[in-house]
Amino acid sequence: EYRIGENMVERIAPTAFDNISRDVISTFNHDLNQILGRQSAGTLSLEVDDRGLRYSVPIDENDPDHQRVVAKIKSGAVSGSSFWFSINREKRSTEGDLQVFQLDEVTLFEAGPVTQPAYSGSSSELRAEAAEPQETEEPAAEETDAAQADLDYATAELWAAGIKPTV
């Protein structure tokens, strides 16, 4: 959940991302000049499960924005994720002195790695697929580094809070 004020929080319902119908993009730090991927280009994949939203962007070794972001994630300087959305449907309730704004349905515009995420449960990380076994001689160190770079891709996971309202 995201603390809006002293006695106010915003929660993302597990159903909030069920109807993703836009051409969503991925950027670094919500900067439209640093686009990392786009659904319609096949460079951004989105998946919704019972925990929330996951997005994945394959690394393009020829894209300097990708290389800068990969370096920041590898160093630990960037570890969060965030997203842009508009609210389609929400519920308001109180829990003691706490006002709760539960977002039941949103329109998603963008998701990507950020330096300061609003939701502390979000994360950005790099992942590598298992390499195929080599049949012959060992490759040179430069070839090994290049092969590993081919296997790496950026994935940033954004898990919505998934908190169910108290009845």
Side-chain angles (χ1 to χ4, degrees):
E1 65 186 35
Y2 173 64
R3 186 159 292 281
I4 299 170
E6 186 175 326
N7 295 323
M8 296 188 312
V9 295
E10 177 180 81
R11 292 182 182 157
I12 307 293
T15 59
F17 301 105
D18 282 355
N19 297 311
I20 297 174
S21 60
R22 294 186 47 84
D23 182 17
V24 178
I25 62 171
S26 180
T27 67
F28 176 57
N29 272 337
H30 301 300
D31 183 345
L32 297 176
N33 293 309
Q34 295 187 62
I35 191 161
L36 302 173
R38 182 179 209 119
Q39 267 185 307
S40 63
T43 56
L44 169 65
S45 62
L46 299 167
E47 177 185 331
V48 179
D49 63 18
D50 61 341
R51 291 189 60 198
L53 174 71
R54 168 183 279 202
Y55 64 92
S56 180
V57 177
I59 292 175
D60 179 348
E61 293 179 19
N62 298 314
D63 186 323
D65 289 335
H66 282 212
Q67 297 312 307
R68 284 194 306 275
V69 173
V70 165
K72 290 171 183 5
I73 293 172
K74 278 184 181 178
S75 74
V78 172
S79 60
S81 284
S82 188
F83 56 98
W84 272 347
F85 62 93
S86 64
I87 301 168
N88 298 337
R89 195 174 67 244
E90 72 177 347
K91 290 180 190 162
R92 297 177 185 201
S93 63
T94 57
E95 295 176 6
D97 291 339
L98 188 65
Q99 290 183 322
V100 178
F101 298 87
Q102 178 176 296
L103 308 183
D104 288 330
E105 183 182 311
V106 301
T107 297
L108 183 64
F109 300 105
E110 182 266 346
V114 296
T115 55
Q116 297 290 323
Y119 291 87
S120 60
S122 70
S123 65
S124 291
E125 59 191 39
L126 296 174
R127 228 171 37 178
E129 296 292 328
E132 294 289 324
Q134 298 291 326
E135 291 183 24
T136 56
E137 58 190 73
E138 292 293 315
E142 304 84 46
E143 292 172 340
T144 301
D145 291 344
Q148 185 61 43
D150 286 342
L151 295 173
D152 290 339
Y153 64 93
T155 185
E157 297 177 357
L158 174 63
W159 297 111
I163 300 170
K164 295 181 180 177
T166 306
V167 187

